[in-house]
Amino acid sequence: MLQVTETETLSEPPEPPDQRVRQTLSTPLSTLEPTRHSQLKQTPRPALWADIPDEKWLDWRWQLAHRLNTLEELSQIIHLTAEEIEGLSAEDKFRVDVTPYFASLIDPDDPHCPIRRQVIPLGRELQAFEGMMEDSLAEDKHSPVPGLVHRYPDRVLMLLTTQCASYCRYCTRSRIVGDSHATFSKTDFEMQLEYLRNTPQVRDVLLSGGDPLTLAPKTLEHILASLREIEHIEIIRIGTRVPIFLPMRVTEEFTAMLHQFHPLWMNVHINHPKEITPELSQALAKLADAGIPLGNQSVLLAGINDSVNIQRELVHKLVRNRVRPYYLYQCDLVKGAGHFRTTVAKGVEVIEGLRGHTSGYAIPTYVVDAPGGGGKIPVMPQYMISQAPGKVVLRNYEGYITTYVEPEDYDPHMIDHLDRFAPERSEPGQGGVSDLLEGRSLAIKPEGFDTLHSRGGAQHRLNSDEAKWKPYGVGEESPLLHLPIPIQREASNGNGHNGNGHNGNGHNGHNGNGHTTALLHKPDSPNGHNGNGSGNGHHE
Ligand code: SF4
């Protein structure tokens, strides 16, 4: 069993020129139009590394081998505070490692430096807080095989390593990250791949960890190639902070290797504009030039980026570097992150300060990753002020309040003729509120709801017939399944509004007052989603 260890990562021999490129770039990366950033200079280095030759400083292996992790090493470049000394001296602290490059961005005299706060522990990091958990997103609970998290219907998270180039103090996966003994083996990768081969509902795989870009390049390439052999995997995404901690890792050989595996997307993790250095800009340009769409995921962190002005500067710098702000995360309820947490109201204030005030393209989706494992929940300011049949009252970012008049003759079933040929995707048990709206179910009940409401009573003549509670026209066992499809033919229902007219199963048109219907049989669709025997056209 090949254990992918930190040692292997650090001792990786120099990358040979890539001989195995399956799909060559139409234009070699080296001859692509240079970006404006390629002309930029390097960030100045602290005196400690002033004599290190460029060929070493710009070598990612040298950077990894010379990471700083002890109080003594870090005190050579930072005037540490008493609380930082307490944090660095703690026995049971989350792993500390900082690349010399990232350490060179730290202001040695400012304890509030946003770079410094992300990687230097404080004594209070060890304080417990209400709601704190080790695995606050319950990832290990949603894991069918080690390292593979399957929470959403059509996509998975594949954890490849527990190693990172440097370690963020607020890390969501601090339960395993940094621990080389907890990392994933070749056997684990095989189990993950086997699960994916046998799970055709998965079309999107996110590689994460730890940081997949710290893996031995051949290992990463092998995993990417194995994923590409699985026909139903449409896209591969990589989540990484290596370009931020170790921009020299993004070599042209490396981006050429990645280029073989398109469609490949990448999310980087930048929290503060100070992280966007000339070196990072060059790395991002190489990735973007290799055709990799770039997104950014940042975490809202108290005292680091919980400010509209800082967030605006960050997103503007991101889009200038061809990186789309993707998510702004509320800091998780994870051990070690208590002092980084803000209120959710602060996140709403940040989005209020961005939406309308700058390009929509530069605005991330603010999300709370549901404690306990419910996935990302978007949160935003309230823009809809009120609603009545036919009218929606909205406000914009300036406080301008307006009315959107809805169409009186909108027929939501006009699309049925095209919709029936569009592929459906099965989401067994995960349809959620969308299932309610589409008529696949009528209610979502908390666990134990039916048992609780039976009050321990016995079955009797009034409560034993389940058919009593089967809603007509809703769900798989609907009697309407066997009826032809009614199509709405006429206009309004008296007051001109049909908003509550359709009964939710998506096929039988409006049932409001005054409607007449013409019945049409829904033909079998060529892709087999014809509704027969599987509910109202939604195969499960
Ligand atoms: S780079 Fe990501 S996985 Fe690694 S320590 Fe930071 S947040 Fe955690």
Side-chain angles (χ1 to χ4, degrees):
M1 181 169 84
L2 169 66
Q3 190 78 25
V4 179
T5 64
E6 184 186 13
T7 315
E8 181 189 342
T9 305
L10 297 182
S11 61
E12 177 73 10
E15 270 179 285
D18 202 314
Q19 305 295 326
R20 289 172 294 164
V21 175
R22 292 186 301 176
Q23 176 191 347
T24 51
L25 289 163
S26 51
T27 313
L29 289 174
S30 53
T31 62
L32 290 173
E33 181 85 10
T35 67
R36 288 186 296 150
H37 302 297
S38 62
Q39 313 303 325
L40 296 172
K41 295 193 175 77
Q42 287 179 31
T43 304
R45 292 181 220 162
L48 179 65
W49 296 300
D51 296 332
I52 301 296
D54 269 4
E55 51 279 19
K56 280 191 176 167
W57 182 260
L58 297 175
D59 180 341
W60 59 274
R61 295 169 190 84
W62 182 92
Q63 288 281 338
L64 283 176
H66 290 82
R67 286 181 289 180
L68 311 172
N69 48 49
T70 65
L71 198 158
E72 294 70 32
E73 287 169 350
L74 287 161
S75 61
Q76 290 180 71
I77 60 149
I78 308 171
H79 298 127
L80 294 167
T81 64
E83 203 186 356
E84 287 170 331
I85 291 170
E86 184 193 345
L88 284 163
S89 310
E91 295 258 307
D92 52 348
K93 64 181 176 298
F94 175 52
R95 179 167 169 177
V96 176
D97 256 323
V98 189
T99 56
Y101 159 78
F102 201 66
S104 74
L105 309 182
I106 291 177
D107 183 332
D109 300 311
D110 181 7
H112 303 291
C113 166
I115 302 289
R116 177 169 169 168
R117 290 224 38 234
Q118 291 184 58
V119 290
I120 308 296
L122 297 178
R124 75 189 104 150
E125 181 174 299
L126 299 169
Q127 283 171 12
F129 59 92
E130 185 180 345
M132 182 182 91
M133 284 178 262
E134 202 179 308
D135 178 12
S136 69
L137 308 182
E139 290 183 329
D140 294 343
K141 225 183 192 178
H142 293 82
S143 175
V145 296
L148 192 126
V149 182
H150 192 171
R151 173 186 294 143
Y152 300 100
D154 67 344
R155 53 207 182 276
V156 297
L157 172 66
M158 201 169 161
L159 304 180
L160 299 181
T161 175
T162 58
Q163 303 299 296
C164 296
S166 302
Y167 293 91
C168 316
R169 305 320 303 165
Y170 51 83
C171 179
T172 290
R173 297 196 190 106
S174 56
R175 68 186 185 281
I176 50 167
V177 163
D179 180 354
S180 55
H181 301 295
T183 203
F184 302 98
S185 66
K186 198 176 173 190
T187 307
D188 292 328
F189 298 153
E190 270 317 307
M191 286 171 72
Q192 295 174 352
L193 289 165
E194 194 53 23
Y195 177 84
L196 293 173
R197 286 181 198 112
N198 294 323
T199 315
Q201 75 192 78
V202 176
R203 46 165 284 282
D204 175 0
V205 175
L206 169 59
L207 305 181
S208 186
D211 198 317
L213 265 55
T214 62
L215 280 179
K218 289 186 195 71
T219 306
L220 180 59
E221 185 174 357
H222 167 73
I223 291 165
L224 289 168
S226 303
L227 286 169
R228 272 286 156 255
E229 281 167 10
I230 304 174
E231 212 170 305
H232 55 266
I233 306 292
E234 294 172 8
I235 63 163
I236 302 171
R237 292 183 283 161
I238 297 179
T240 177
R241 227 185 162 193
V242 156
I244 290 87
F245 289 139
L246 196 63
M248 44 292 284
R249 177 68 190 89
V250 185
T251 62
E252 291 194 352
E253 275 174 321
F254 186 69
T255 54
M257 184 276 281
L258 295 178
H259 183 269
Q260 301 172 88
F261 302 107
H262 277 310
L264 180 82
W265 296 58
M266 185 176 281
N267 273 322
V268 295
H269 173 173
I270 303 168
N271 291 318
H272 190 279
K274 193 175 175 186
E275 291 164 56
I276 306 182
T277 61
E279 289 89 339
L280 175 57
S281 288
Q282 288 164 37
L284 295 171
K286 280 181 203 157
L287 291 162
D289 287 347
I292 301 171
L294 298 171
N296 185 58
Q297 307 191 130
S298 58
V299 184
L300 188 62
L301 297 166
I304 292 177
N305 61 12
D306 52 335
S307 140
V308 172
N309 289 333
I310 291 171
Q311 288 287 344
R312 188 188 312 106
E313 186 189 353
L314 174 63
V315 298
H316 285 175
K317 276 184 128 176
L318 287 170
V319 293
R320 285 210 300 274
N321 283 277
R322 291 184 275 170
V323 181
R324 168 87 156 92
Y326 180 45
Y327 283 132
L328 172 63
Y329 284 93
Q330 176 66 14
C331 188
D332 291 326
L333 294 172
V334 71
K335 191 175 169 185
H339 59 300
F340 286 113
R341 295 188 311 130
T342 65
T343 57
V344 173
K346 176 53 76 174
V348 173
E349 180 192 333
V350 166
I351 300 301
E352 185 72 69
L354 295 178
R355 176 66 62 194
H357 298 275
T358 194
S359 336
Y361 211 72
I363 301 168
T365 302
Y366 171 51
V367 291
V368 178
D369 219 335
K376 295 169 199 73
I377 301 172
V379 181
M380 68 186 80
Q382 183 57 266
Y383 293 105
M384 188 188 287
I385 288 181
S386 199
Q387 215 177 350
K391 285 197 174 115
V392 179
V393 179
L394 305 147
R395 63 101 177 164
N396 82 343
Y397 70 103
E398 296 164 293
Y400 173 77
I401 296 178
T402 189
T403 305
Y404 181 83
V405 180
E406 296 178 314
E408 293 181 356
D409 55 353
Y410 169 59
D411 177 2
H413 300 290
M414 194 163 37
I415 192 65
D416 289 351
H417 296 279
L418 299 177
D419 183 61
R420 62 190 165 173
F421 298 115
E424 293 179 31
R425 292 193 68 92
S426 168
E427 296 184 9
Q430 291 195 280
V433 175
S434 178
D435 267 1
L436 305 186
L437 296 176
E438 298 297 324
R440 289 185 280 262
S441 57
L442 191 72
I444 299 172
K445 300 175 191 177
E447 199 177 329
F449 181 90
D450 288 335
T451 310
L452 174 79
H453 287 269
S454 69
R455 305 293 173 194
Q459 272 207 342
H460 52 72
R461 68 179 190 286
L462 295 178
N463 69 7
S464 56
D465 181 9
E466 287 289 327
K468 277 186 182 179
W469 303 291
K470 293 264 182 278
Y472 182 74
V474 177
E476 284 189 290
E477 293 172 49
S478 159
L480 288 185
L481 289 176
H482 310 293
L483 295 181
I485 308 161
I487 300 294
Q488 181 60 43
R489 288 292 193 206
E490 82 318 313
S492 72
N493 60 1
N495 66 359
H497 303 300
N498 59 8
N500 66 351
H502 59 97
N503 73 357
N505 75 349
H507 300 301
N508 71 341
H510 306 226
N511 60 7
N513 295 337
H515 289 187
T516 59
T517 54
L519 301 182
L520 293 178
H521 285 280
K522 184 174 184 177
D524 289 355
S525 78
N527 59 7
H529 305 303
N530 63 3
N532 291 335
S534 62
N536 46 10
H538 305 284
H539 75 170
E540 299 293 317

